[in-house]
Amino acid sequence: MRVGPVVVERRDAPSWSWTLAISALAVGMALTLAGAIFWSYGVPPLRAYGVIVRGTLFNARAAPEIVRNAIPLLLAGVGLVLAFRALFWNIGAEGQILLGATAATWVALFSPVPDAWKLPAMFAAGFVGGALWGLIPALLKLRFAVNEVISTLMMNYIALYLVSWLVHGPWKGPEMRGFAFTNAFPAAARIPTIADTRVHWPTLMLGLLLAAAVAYLLARTRAGFEIRMQGENPEAARYAGVDPLRTTMLVMVIAGGAAGLAGVGEVGGIHHRLLDPTQISLGFGYAAIIVAWLARGSPLAAIGTAAFLGLIFASGDVMRVALQMPARVTDVFNGLILFCLIGSERALSWRLRWAPGGARQPAAAPPETVASEAPGSDR
Amino acid sequence: MRVLRALLVVVVILTFAASGGAQAKLKVGFIYVGPIGDYGWTHAHDQGRKIAEKQLPIETLYVESVPEAQVEPFIDKLIQQGARVVLTTSFGFMDGTLAMAKRYPNIIFGHASGFKRNHNMFTYMADFYQVYYLNGLMAGALTRSGKVGYVGAFPIPEVKRHMGAFALGVRAVNPRATVHVRWLFSWFDPAKAKEATEALIAEGVDVFAFTEDSPTVVQVASKRNLPSFGHYSPMQRFAPRHVVSGQLVHWERIYIDFLSKVLAGRYTAENLQNVDYWWLLAEKAVELGGDFGVPVNPVWIPKLQAVKVQTREFGQISVYDLVNRRLAQMSRTPVAFDPFTGPIRDRKGRLVVPAGKTMTVAELTTMEWAAPGIVGPWPKEP
Amino acid sequence: MAGEWILNTIVRGIALGTPLLWAALGEVYAERSGVVNLGVEGMMVLGAFAAFALAQASGLPYLGLLLAAGVGALAALLHAFVVITLRANQYVSGLALTMLGLGLSALLGRRWEGLPLLNTLPEISPLTYGGLLLAGMLWLVLYHTRWGIILRSTGESPAAVDTMGLNVFLVRYLAVVFGGALAGVGGGLLSVAYRPSWTEGMTVGLGWIAIAITIFASWDPLRAATGAFLFGALFHLSFRLQTWVAPEPLQMMPFAVTILVLAVVTRRGGAQGVPEALGIPYTRGES
């Protein structure tokens, strides 16, 4: 197709610069739309964005908050990248986070683990907790053909009530005057933070390591090859002897475990106790779906997208305080950005080429492969 | 380049001018746990904020729906916006508020419903237990089936205390009546509140009280032509003929009292270590009624006057008069009557308040036992 | 006594089941055409707000529901455009729609919060019977008419429909928008009938339940009615039984039962109901 001197043609794999340019354009469009909504709410859009930028990026106290929000998003997000690569639609990271938090709390408060081993044991237990919670829907899907979107979603609710029961019943801490919290964790069970911030760096390190490890797994190992194959072409994978049960279980152990680690970070690094389930995670399990989606199947890209979403979370907070807007403004913001980003994905499989005059026509469009490369675009 | 610098100077001046103008008034920041539209706890705090802003030379800021883990960064942001006083309104904010009070020793902090204080952090609470007792007296008189219902949000001491006071009131008028309990495990969930109320109706309950941040229980009861008691906000408008009375709060009483003392220089960031507002009927921080200024819905007064009870203190008396007498007794300082005065045995028969003793504030805020007459699950019952 | 119990549970199941049924029927049709819409919660909450606002202003709850249908359809149109025309991922778009719906309705709805509604619909209203009737009609259309064949084929094998000379995109657009309208009505029923008032986020997760019911019902309108009423009854029972059983396990019950029933139903071959092309964007010229 030709628009004046510019040729629009298809391409197989978009370059990084093109991806970034299109994504920036999409975010710009979302900001424009959100600006219109702010305006109708009586807040001039330019002022709003000025306040947001000053309140997040150029603010010594707010910048670490972006990182703190990004930690659980990264852990859960990397896990979901892997799950989505295997075409397992895990909506249940929220529940897996809760189970990780629960297991870590058990280690912190009720296990005989010596102090020196408390933190490693909490992370290990959290991983196992999340992994077990993630395995159930995997088994349900492969043994009973239960749709994973629904089972993982239902498992979130079950985890919610489980934690609620623990903090109202057997684990309710006598220190808390009968309110629904466990006792505070002992000092040995608190994850250290960077100086004056709430950035619990060991969890952050785990997240970065995990992203690297999953990237390695996908790119360089036999198991990773099988996972990719199952995600890209389940039929062919079956012929090649890939055991869907084994790959799915492996994927969900890692994805659930990673989300569990995020839960450990939240209770061990932020709250220092188990509390009402709706307060443990700020919807990180759901937001991690966005992180994973925007990362387009790349575990390393999830580091960037988790940071981006951390920024969005922080921006919403700034709007609420500095502009006195309702709490749900964050949802409007997130929704619009997400719509524009996924809406712009089509543009990624095209490119513009400057070809004035009678330059050569593009060759016949190569078969479009982007749709099937992207995780989850077919099943 | 020069133009740019000039522009920068202008911007800086404008920024400072804007913030300088605002600093003339005392800025007070509020942190809420729920949405202000919930028509319950947070809505009531927000009403209090608005009234205080109208009556005092202050400027207020608020943030709604703040998760417990986020209280510290939000306090940071409020202070950056110029807040000199920060009030946090949920028990779960306690430790975060204290940590920030230590980090900002010159800012004044206030925490609702908690028990930790600092030289620059006070605590406050407007409690309903007396009002629930009065509601209980009326409920005991109005039930025909002998079954009264209570839909509770969470089994925590505050709600258990309110149920206990309510049940003691019911039993004071109707010694054989029972109070049937349903738990929602949610502060706001209309669907749960609705089905819990329907479950109680199916069980034969015919009068309702509750703790949930929406008028759902009132609406459901009204559809079945059954009386109920409003909670936190004026809910009589949702069921003008069926809301008998209820509990109303005036957080502004506490806010205005405290903030005017701050403005007058009596309270500073140095002397709040022992400032704890535990305000009840006598301080007018809470009010009996389903709408402001209407302690008992006139529609129900004749019915309440028709029911007579025998009391040790007043002899034969109508329930309506008893409610008014008790209300007067509790509105006086010092209070002449307290529902939690012994001897009281819990529903298992254990003596929990010995004869002649009245429960202290510390005992009330940690209360776990179930009052006699309560039927239903009671997590963590001693 | 037992009779009273059973009768009461059925009535409560129908009362809460009605809004769920409307939303689930919409999702059944959308998914039958091959498009998953996880934005039911968002469409329902927008519908709830729209219905309440107009019913409040006009005193006519039915008019409010009509607007709710329109608003739900409009929200679904956005999803349709993004996933059908732009071929974006359906799960992610649905999540975005849920966020947008919850956010927009909260921002716009501020003024209406805490207002009573004088003219309400009863819980068991003509729309309850209407919902049942609709379920029957949609079942008939789906399995016994040419339209139904086209709809099902679009979800099973869009390429085949395309070669028949029919417009796959149009069928999907219509199904998704129709589904949005029904979800809007479902949400509206919450705010003008089930619990007549408006508060932001008042759908409290019922939209997700509607999606669960859709799958539970194997994309069959009549089974969706059963699923909706069953869930309503279970939800109610979890409060009815609290006197005897600790509350927390009971609160988990509807969710756990959904998984269990799903396991049993799909094992018996119900999984054959899954539209083959569900979740896959269609491109002309590709299979």
Side-chain angles (χ1 to χ4, degrees), chain A residues 59 61 65 68 161 168-169 172 177-179 196 198 271 273 275 279 282 317 320-321 324 326-327, chain B residues 62 64-65 67-70 73-74 76 80-81 91 95 103 115 154-155 157 185 192 366 368 380:
Chain A
N59 184 320
R61 297 208 65 89
E65 277 301 300
R68 162 213 156 359
Y161 285 110
H168 280 102
K172 185 149 122 181
R177 296 216 176 170
F179 282 87
D196 221 14
R198 282 142 40 89
H271 305 282
R273 55 167 56 91
L275 64 166
Q279 302 281 343
L282 312 176
D317 291 354
R320 289 162 65 184
V321 181
Q324 296 285 288
Chain B
Y62 74 89
E64 58 170 359
S65 300
E68 281 162 12
Q70 288 297 88
F74 273 114
D76 260 334
Q80 277 166 13
Q81 293 296 314
F91 181 83
D95 288 342
R103 184 178 290 176
F115 55 86
F154 282 102
F185 289 91
K192 284 184 183 171
T366 55
E368 293 277 10
K380 274 277 165 171

Short mmCIF file of all heavy atoms in Angstrom, two decimals, chain A residues 59 61 65 68 161 168-169 172 177-179 196 198 271 273 275 279 282 317 320-321 324 326-327, chain B residues 62 64-65 67-70 73-74 76 80-81 91 95 103 115 154-155 157 185 192 366 368 380:
data_model
loop_
_atom_site.label_atom_id
_atom_site.label_comp_id
_atom_site.label_asym_id
_atom_site.label_seq_id
_atom_site.Cartn_x
_atom_site.Cartn_y
_atom_site.Cartn_z
N ASN A 59 10.63 13.24 42.13
CA ASN A 59 10.30 13.33 43.54
C ASN A 59 11.05 12.23 44.27
O ASN A 59 10.82 11.04 44.05
CB ASN A 59 8.78 13.15 43.69
CG ASN A 59 8.35 13.34 45.12
OD1 ASN A 59 9.03 12.90 46.06
ND2 ASN A 59 7.24 14.01 45.31
N ARG A 61 10.95 11.05 47.19
CA ARG A 61 10.24 10.10 48.03
C ARG A 61 9.31 9.21 47.23
O ARG A 61 8.95 8.13 47.66
CB ARG A 61 9.43 10.85 49.09
CG ARG A 61 10.25 11.66 50.06
CD ARG A 61 9.52 11.78 51.38
NE ARG A 61 9.39 10.48 52.01
CZ ARG A 61 10.30 9.97 52.84
NH1 ARG A 61 11.35 10.65 53.14
NH2 ARG A 61 10.11 8.80 53.37
N GLU A 65 8.77 4.41 45.42
CA GLU A 65 7.45 3.77 45.44
C GLU A 65 7.17 3.07 44.11
O GLU A 65 6.45 2.07 44.06
CB GLU A 65 6.36 4.81 45.72
CG GLU A 65 6.19 5.11 47.20
CD GLU A 65 5.82 3.86 47.97
OE1 GLU A 65 4.77 3.26 47.67
OE2 GLU A 65 6.58 3.48 48.87
N ARG A 68 8.91 -0.16 44.46
CA ARG A 68 8.23 -1.03 45.42
C ARG A 68 6.99 -1.67 44.81
O ARG A 68 6.72 -2.83 45.03
CB ARG A 68 7.84 -0.21 46.65
CG ARG A 68 6.77 -0.86 47.50
CD ARG A 68 5.91 0.20 48.13
NE ARG A 68 4.57 -0.14 48.53
CZ ARG A 68 3.92 -1.27 48.42
NH1 ARG A 68 4.50 -2.33 47.96
NH2 ARG A 68 2.68 -1.38 48.80
N TYR A 161 -10.79 -16.38 50.92
CA TYR A 161 -11.51 -16.79 52.12
C TYR A 161 -10.62 -17.60 53.06
O TYR A 161 -10.79 -17.57 54.28
CB TYR A 161 -12.77 -17.56 51.74
CG TYR A 161 -13.85 -16.64 51.24
CD1 TYR A 161 -14.24 -16.62 49.92
CD2 TYR A 161 -14.45 -15.73 52.11
CE1 TYR A 161 -15.21 -15.75 49.46
CE2 TYR A 161 -15.41 -14.85 51.68
CZ TYR A 161 -15.79 -14.86 50.35
OH TYR A 161 -16.75 -13.98 49.92
N HIS A 168 -8.92 -14.28 60.94
CA HIS A 168 -10.03 -14.08 61.89
C HIS A 168 -10.07 -15.19 62.93
O HIS A 168 -10.68 -15.06 63.97
CB HIS A 168 -11.37 -14.03 61.17
CG HIS A 168 -11.64 -12.72 60.55
ND1 HIS A 168 -11.49 -12.49 59.21
CD2 HIS A 168 -12.02 -11.54 61.07
CE1 HIS A 168 -11.78 -11.24 58.94
NE2 HIS A 168 -12.10 -10.64 60.04
N GLY A 169 -9.46 -16.32 62.59
CA GLY A 169 -9.55 -17.47 63.48
C GLY A 169 -8.23 -17.86 64.07
O GLY A 169 -7.64 -17.13 64.85
N LYS A 172 -5.19 -15.35 64.42
CA LYS A 172 -5.41 -13.98 64.89
C LYS A 172 -4.48 -13.69 66.06
O LYS A 172 -4.39 -14.46 67.00
CB LYS A 172 -6.87 -13.85 65.32
CG LYS A 172 -7.27 -12.47 65.72
CD LYS A 172 -8.73 -12.26 65.40
CE LYS A 172 -9.53 -11.90 66.62
NZ LYS A 172 -10.95 -11.74 66.29
N ARG A 177 -5.27 -6.75 69.67
CA ARG A 177 -6.53 -6.38 70.31
C ARG A 177 -7.76 -6.93 69.58
O ARG A 177 -8.76 -6.25 69.44
CB ARG A 177 -6.66 -4.87 70.39
CG ARG A 177 -5.60 -4.25 71.27
CD ARG A 177 -6.18 -3.10 72.01
NE ARG A 177 -5.20 -2.57 72.93
CZ ARG A 177 -5.37 -1.43 73.58
NH1 ARG A 177 -6.46 -0.74 73.42
NH2 ARG A 177 -4.47 -1.02 74.41
N GLY A 178 -7.62 -8.12 69.08
CA GLY A 178 -8.79 -8.75 68.49
C GLY A 178 -9.06 -8.35 67.05
O GLY A 178 -9.96 -8.87 66.42
N PHE A 179 -8.32 -7.40 66.51
CA PHE A 179 -8.51 -7.09 65.11
C PHE A 179 -7.92 -8.20 64.25
O PHE A 179 -7.09 -8.98 64.71
CB PHE A 179 -7.87 -5.75 64.77
CG PHE A 179 -8.71 -4.59 65.21
CD1 PHE A 179 -8.59 -4.08 66.49
CD2 PHE A 179 -9.64 -4.03 64.36
CE1 PHE A 179 -9.39 -3.03 66.91
CE2 PHE A 179 -10.44 -2.99 64.78
CZ PHE A 179 -10.31 -2.47 66.06
N ASP A 196 15.78 4.47 53.65
CA ASP A 196 14.55 5.10 54.10
C ASP A 196 13.35 4.76 53.22
O ASP A 196 12.33 5.40 53.31
CB ASP A 196 14.79 6.63 54.07
CG ASP A 196 14.17 7.27 55.29
OD1 ASP A 196 13.83 6.50 56.21
OD2 ASP A 196 14.01 8.49 55.31
N ARG A 198 10.77 1.78 51.04
CA ARG A 198 10.11 0.51 51.28
C ARG A 198 10.47 -0.49 50.19
O ARG A 198 9.72 -1.41 49.87
CB ARG A 198 8.61 0.73 51.38
CG ARG A 198 8.24 1.30 52.75
CD ARG A 198 7.15 2.33 52.71
NE ARG A 198 6.09 2.01 51.80
CZ ARG A 198 5.02 1.30 52.11
NH1 ARG A 198 4.87 0.81 53.31
NH2 ARG A 198 4.09 1.10 51.23
N HIS A 271 4.26 -5.46 55.05
CA HIS A 271 3.27 -5.50 56.13
C HIS A 271 3.84 -6.07 57.43
O HIS A 271 3.38 -5.71 58.50
CB HIS A 271 2.07 -6.36 55.73
CG HIS A 271 1.43 -5.94 54.45
ND1 HIS A 271 0.59 -4.86 54.38
CD2 HIS A 271 1.50 -6.45 53.20
CE1 HIS A 271 0.17 -4.72 53.12
NE2 HIS A 271 0.71 -5.67 52.39
N ARG A 273 3.18 -8.83 58.63
CA ARG A 273 2.15 -9.66 59.26
C ARG A 273 1.18 -10.10 58.18
O ARG A 273 1.18 -9.51 57.09
CB ARG A 273 1.40 -8.87 60.34
CG ARG A 273 0.79 -7.56 59.86
CD ARG A 273 -0.19 -7.02 60.87
NE ARG A 273 0.42 -6.86 62.16
CZ ARG A 273 1.00 -5.75 62.58
NH1 ARG A 273 1.02 -4.69 61.80
NH2 ARG A 273 1.52 -5.68 63.77
N LEU A 275 -2.63 -10.20 56.95
CA LEU A 275 -3.78 -9.36 57.26
C LEU A 275 -4.90 -9.66 56.28
O LEU A 275 -4.84 -10.63 55.53
CB LEU A 275 -3.37 -7.89 57.23
CG LEU A 275 -2.90 -7.25 55.93
CD1 LEU A 275 -2.89 -5.76 56.09
CD2 LEU A 275 -1.50 -7.69 55.56
N GLN A 279 -6.06 -6.53 51.48
CA GLN A 279 -5.05 -5.52 51.76
C GLN A 279 -3.64 -6.01 51.46
O GLN A 279 -2.70 -5.22 51.42
CB GLN A 279 -5.12 -5.10 53.24
CG GLN A 279 -6.46 -4.56 53.66
CD GLN A 279 -6.65 -3.12 53.24
OE1 GLN A 279 -5.70 -2.42 52.91
NE2 GLN A 279 -7.89 -2.68 53.23
N LEU A 282 -2.22 -5.30 46.21
CA LEU A 282 -3.04 -4.21 45.68
C LEU A 282 -3.50 -4.56 44.27
O LEU A 282 -3.35 -3.78 43.34
CB LEU A 282 -2.24 -2.91 45.64
CG LEU A 282 -1.50 -2.56 46.92
CD1 LEU A 282 -0.67 -1.31 46.72
CD2 LEU A 282 -2.49 -2.35 48.04
N ASP A 317 -1.83 7.35 42.26
CA ASP A 317 -1.77 7.83 43.64
C ASP A 317 -1.58 9.34 43.68
O ASP A 317 -2.22 10.04 44.49
CB ASP A 317 -0.59 7.17 44.38
CG ASP A 317 -0.84 5.68 44.60
OD1 ASP A 317 -1.96 5.24 44.29
OD2 ASP A 317 0.07 4.99 45.07
N ARG A 320 -4.75 11.18 42.94
CA ARG A 320 -5.73 11.14 44.03
C ARG A 320 -5.41 12.20 45.07
O ARG A 320 -6.31 12.84 45.60
CB ARG A 320 -5.74 9.76 44.66
CG ARG A 320 -6.36 8.74 43.74
CD ARG A 320 -5.99 7.34 44.12
NE ARG A 320 -6.52 6.98 45.42
CZ ARG A 320 -6.27 5.82 46.02
NH1 ARG A 320 -5.51 4.94 45.41
NH2 ARG A 320 -6.77 5.55 47.19
N VAL A 321 -4.14 12.37 45.37
CA VAL A 321 -3.80 13.32 46.44
C VAL A 321 -3.74 14.74 45.90
O VAL A 321 -4.43 15.64 46.40
CB VAL A 321 -2.43 12.96 47.07
CG1 VAL A 321 -2.12 13.95 48.18
CG2 VAL A 321 -2.46 11.56 47.60
N GLN A 324 -7.09 15.59 44.07
CA GLN A 324 -8.30 15.23 44.81
C GLN A 324 -9.31 14.51 43.92
O GLN A 324 -10.48 14.87 43.87
CB GLN A 324 -8.93 16.49 45.42
CG GLN A 324 -8.03 17.14 46.45
CD GLN A 324 -8.00 16.36 47.75
OE1 GLN A 324 -8.97 16.34 48.50
NE2 GLN A 324 -6.91 15.66 48.00
N PRO A 326 -11.23 10.84 42.59
CA PRO A 326 -11.64 9.59 43.24
C PRO A 326 -10.61 8.48 42.99
O PRO A 326 -9.86 8.52 42.02
CB PRO A 326 -12.95 9.24 42.56
CG PRO A 326 -13.38 10.45 41.84
CD PRO A 326 -12.18 11.28 41.58
N ALA A 327 -10.62 7.49 43.86
CA ALA A 327 -9.64 6.41 43.79
C ALA A 327 -9.71 5.67 42.47
O ALA A 327 -8.70 5.21 41.94
CB ALA A 327 -9.87 5.45 44.95
N TYR B 62 -8.25 15.14 50.98
CA TYR B 62 -8.56 13.77 51.37
C TYR B 62 -8.08 12.81 50.29
O TYR B 62 -7.90 13.18 49.13
CB TYR B 62 -10.05 13.59 51.63
CG TYR B 62 -10.88 13.56 50.37
CD1 TYR B 62 -11.12 12.36 49.71
CD2 TYR B 62 -11.40 14.72 49.83
CE1 TYR B 62 -11.86 12.33 48.54
CE2 TYR B 62 -12.13 14.71 48.67
CZ TYR B 62 -12.37 13.51 48.03
OH TYR B 62 -13.09 13.47 46.86
N GLU B 64 -9.23 8.79 49.24
CA GLU B 64 -10.15 7.70 49.59
C GLU B 64 -9.57 6.36 49.16
O GLU B 64 -8.59 6.30 48.42
CB GLU B 64 -11.51 7.93 48.93
CG GLU B 64 -11.38 8.03 47.42
CD GLU B 64 -12.69 8.00 46.68
OE1 GLU B 64 -13.74 7.88 47.30
OE2 GLU B 64 -12.65 8.10 45.46
N SER B 65 -10.21 5.28 49.65
CA SER B 65 -9.84 3.90 49.26
C SER B 65 -8.35 3.64 49.34
O SER B 65 -7.73 3.15 48.40
CB SER B 65 -10.33 3.60 47.84
OG SER B 65 -11.70 3.74 47.76
N PRO B 67 -5.38 1.48 50.57
CA PRO B 67 -5.09 0.19 51.17
C PRO B 67 -4.14 0.38 52.37
O PRO B 67 -3.38 1.34 52.41
CB PRO B 67 -4.38 -0.59 50.07
CG PRO B 67 -4.53 0.23 48.84
CD PRO B 67 -4.78 1.63 49.25
N GLU B 68 -4.22 -0.58 53.29
CA GLU B 68 -3.45 -0.41 54.52
C GLU B 68 -1.95 -0.26 54.25
O GLU B 68 -1.27 0.51 54.90
CB GLU B 68 -3.73 -1.56 55.47
CG GLU B 68 -5.06 -1.34 56.17
CD GLU B 68 -5.65 -2.58 56.79
OE1 GLU B 68 -4.93 -3.58 56.88
OE2 GLU B 68 -6.83 -2.52 57.18
N ALA B 69 -1.45 -0.99 53.26
CA ALA B 69 -0.02 -0.94 52.99
C ALA B 69 0.41 0.39 52.42
O ALA B 69 1.58 0.71 52.38
CB ALA B 69 0.36 -2.05 52.00
N GLN B 70 -0.54 1.18 51.94
CA GLN B 70 -0.18 2.39 51.22
C GLN B 70 -0.28 3.64 52.09
O GLN B 70 -0.12 4.74 51.60
CB GLN B 70 -1.10 2.57 50.00
CG GLN B 70 -0.82 1.58 48.89
CD GLN B 70 0.56 1.74 48.31
OE1 GLN B 70 1.52 1.15 48.79
NE2 GLN B 70 0.71 2.57 47.29
N PRO B 73 3.17 6.01 52.07
CA PRO B 73 3.38 6.90 50.92
C PRO B 73 2.31 7.97 50.78
O PRO B 73 2.62 9.08 50.34
CB PRO B 73 3.38 5.95 49.73
CG PRO B 73 3.03 4.61 50.23
CD PRO B 73 3.23 4.59 51.69
N PHE B 74 1.09 7.65 51.15
CA PHE B 74 0.05 8.67 51.02
C PHE B 74 0.23 9.78 52.05
O PHE B 74 -0.06 10.95 51.78
CB PHE B 74 -1.35 8.05 51.11
CG PHE B 74 -1.85 7.56 49.78
CD1 PHE B 74 -2.06 6.21 49.55
CD2 PHE B 74 -2.08 8.45 48.75
CE1 PHE B 74 -2.49 5.76 48.32
CE2 PHE B 74 -2.53 8.01 47.51
CZ PHE B 74 -2.73 6.67 47.30
N ASP B 76 3.12 10.74 53.11
CA ASP B 76 4.18 11.51 52.46
C ASP B 76 3.60 12.53 51.50
O ASP B 76 3.96 13.71 51.51
CB ASP B 76 5.07 10.55 51.64
CG ASP B 76 6.35 10.20 52.39
OD1 ASP B 76 6.77 11.01 53.22
OD2 ASP B 76 6.90 9.12 52.13
N GLN B 80 3.58 16.60 51.46
CA GLN B 80 4.15 17.37 50.35
C GLN B 80 3.15 18.38 49.80
O GLN B 80 3.53 19.43 49.28
CB GLN B 80 4.58 16.43 49.23
CG GLN B 80 5.95 15.84 49.48
CD GLN B 80 6.24 14.67 48.57
OE1 GLN B 80 5.53 14.44 47.59
NE2 GLN B 80 7.27 13.93 48.90
N GLN B 81 1.86 18.05 49.92
CA GLN B 81 0.84 19.00 49.47
C GLN B 81 0.62 20.11 50.50
O GLN B 81 -0.26 20.94 50.34
CB GLN B 81 -0.48 18.27 49.21
CG GLN B 81 -0.44 17.31 48.05
CD GLN B 81 -0.20 18.01 46.73
OE1 GLN B 81 -0.82 19.02 46.43
NE2 GLN B 81 0.73 17.51 45.94
N PHE B 91 -8.36 1.24 61.50
CA PHE B 91 -7.48 0.57 62.46
C PHE B 91 -6.20 0.11 61.80
O PHE B 91 -5.11 0.22 62.35
CB PHE B 91 -8.20 -0.61 63.10
CG PHE B 91 -7.34 -1.32 64.11
CD1 PHE B 91 -7.25 -0.84 65.40
CD2 PHE B 91 -6.60 -2.45 63.77
CE1 PHE B 91 -6.43 -1.48 66.34
CE2 PHE B 91 -5.79 -3.08 64.70
CZ PHE B 91 -5.71 -2.59 65.98
N ASP B 95 -0.03 1.24 62.57
CA ASP B 95 1.43 1.16 62.61
C ASP B 95 2.08 2.09 61.59
O ASP B 95 3.11 2.70 61.88
CB ASP B 95 1.89 -0.29 62.37
CG ASP B 95 1.58 -1.16 63.59
OD1 ASP B 95 1.34 -0.57 64.67
OD2 ASP B 95 1.53 -2.39 63.45
N ARG B 103 8.76 9.78 61.88
CA ARG B 103 9.59 10.34 60.83
C ARG B 103 9.38 11.86 60.69
O ARG B 103 10.29 12.59 60.34
CB ARG B 103 9.29 9.65 59.51
CG ARG B 103 10.18 10.12 58.37
CD ARG B 103 9.90 9.39 57.08
NE ARG B 103 10.32 7.99 57.13
CZ ARG B 103 10.11 7.12 56.15
NH1 ARG B 103 9.47 7.49 55.08
NH2 ARG B 103 10.51 5.87 56.26
N PHE B 115 -4.84 2.34 69.24
CA PHE B 115 -4.43 2.50 70.64
C PHE B 115 -2.96 2.93 70.77
O PHE B 115 -2.42 2.92 71.86
CB PHE B 115 -4.68 1.22 71.43
CG PHE B 115 -4.03 0.00 70.84
CD1 PHE B 115 -2.71 -0.33 71.14
CD2 PHE B 115 -4.75 -0.83 69.99
CE1 PHE B 115 -2.12 -1.46 70.61
CE2 PHE B 115 -4.16 -1.96 69.43
CZ PHE B 115 -2.84 -2.28 69.75
N PHE B 154 -17.48 -7.85 60.09
CA PHE B 154 -16.37 -8.72 60.46
C PHE B 154 -16.45 -9.05 61.94
O PHE B 154 -16.80 -8.20 62.74
CB PHE B 154 -15.03 -8.00 60.21
CG PHE B 154 -14.59 -7.95 58.80
CD1 PHE B 154 -14.75 -6.79 58.06
CD2 PHE B 154 -14.00 -9.05 58.19
CE1 PHE B 154 -14.33 -6.73 56.74
CE2 PHE B 154 -13.58 -8.98 56.88
CZ PHE B 154 -13.74 -7.83 56.15
N PRO B 155 -16.08 -10.26 62.33
CA PRO B 155 -16.08 -10.59 63.77
C PRO B 155 -14.87 -9.99 64.47
O PRO B 155 -13.97 -10.70 64.87
CB PRO B 155 -16.06 -12.12 63.77
CG PRO B 155 -15.45 -12.51 62.47
CD PRO B 155 -15.75 -11.42 61.50
N PRO B 157 -13.57 -6.96 67.58
CA PRO B 157 -14.12 -6.48 68.85
C PRO B 157 -15.15 -5.36 68.69
O PRO B 157 -16.15 -5.34 69.40
CB PRO B 157 -12.88 -5.97 69.59
CG PRO B 157 -11.77 -6.78 69.07
CD PRO B 157 -12.10 -7.03 67.63
N PHE B 185 -17.97 -10.86 56.34
CA PHE B 185 -16.52 -10.79 56.05
C PHE B 185 -16.24 -9.76 54.96
O PHE B 185 -15.47 -9.98 54.03
CB PHE B 185 -15.97 -12.17 55.67
CG PHE B 185 -15.93 -13.09 56.85
CD1 PHE B 185 -17.00 -13.91 57.14
CD2 PHE B 185 -14.84 -13.09 57.70
CE1 PHE B 185 -16.99 -14.73 58.26
CE2 PHE B 185 -14.82 -13.91 58.81
CZ PHE B 185 -15.89 -14.73 59.10
N LYS B 192 -24.00 -9.66 49.48
CA LYS B 192 -23.90 -10.48 50.68
C LYS B 192 -24.86 -9.98 51.75
O LYS B 192 -25.54 -10.78 52.41
CB LYS B 192 -22.47 -10.42 51.23
CG LYS B 192 -21.48 -11.26 50.47
CD LYS B 192 -20.14 -11.19 51.18
CE LYS B 192 -19.07 -11.95 50.43
NZ LYS B 192 -17.75 -11.69 51.01
N THR B 366 -11.27 -4.60 73.39
CA THR B 366 -10.70 -5.94 73.14
C THR B 366 -11.73 -7.03 73.38
O THR B 366 -11.39 -8.20 73.46
CB THR B 366 -9.50 -6.20 74.07
OG1 THR B 366 -9.94 -6.01 75.42
CG2 THR B 366 -8.35 -5.26 73.77
N GLU B 368 -14.22 -9.94 73.27
CA GLU B 368 -14.40 -11.06 72.34
C GLU B 368 -15.61 -11.92 72.66
O GLU B 368 -16.06 -12.70 71.84
CB GLU B 368 -13.14 -11.97 72.35
CG GLU B 368 -11.88 -11.34 71.78
CD GLU B 368 -11.81 -11.42 70.26
OE1 GLU B 368 -12.81 -11.79 69.62
OE2 GLU B 368 -10.74 -11.10 69.71
N LYS B 380 -13.45 -17.07 67.27
CA LYS B 380 -12.57 -16.71 68.39
C LYS B 380 -13.35 -16.47 69.67
O LYS B 380 -13.02 -15.57 70.45
CB LYS B 380 -11.74 -15.47 68.05
CG LYS B 380 -10.46 -15.80 67.30
CD LYS B 380 -9.35 -16.21 68.26
CE LYS B 380 -8.22 -16.87 67.52
NZ LYS B 380 -7.05 -17.10 68.34
#
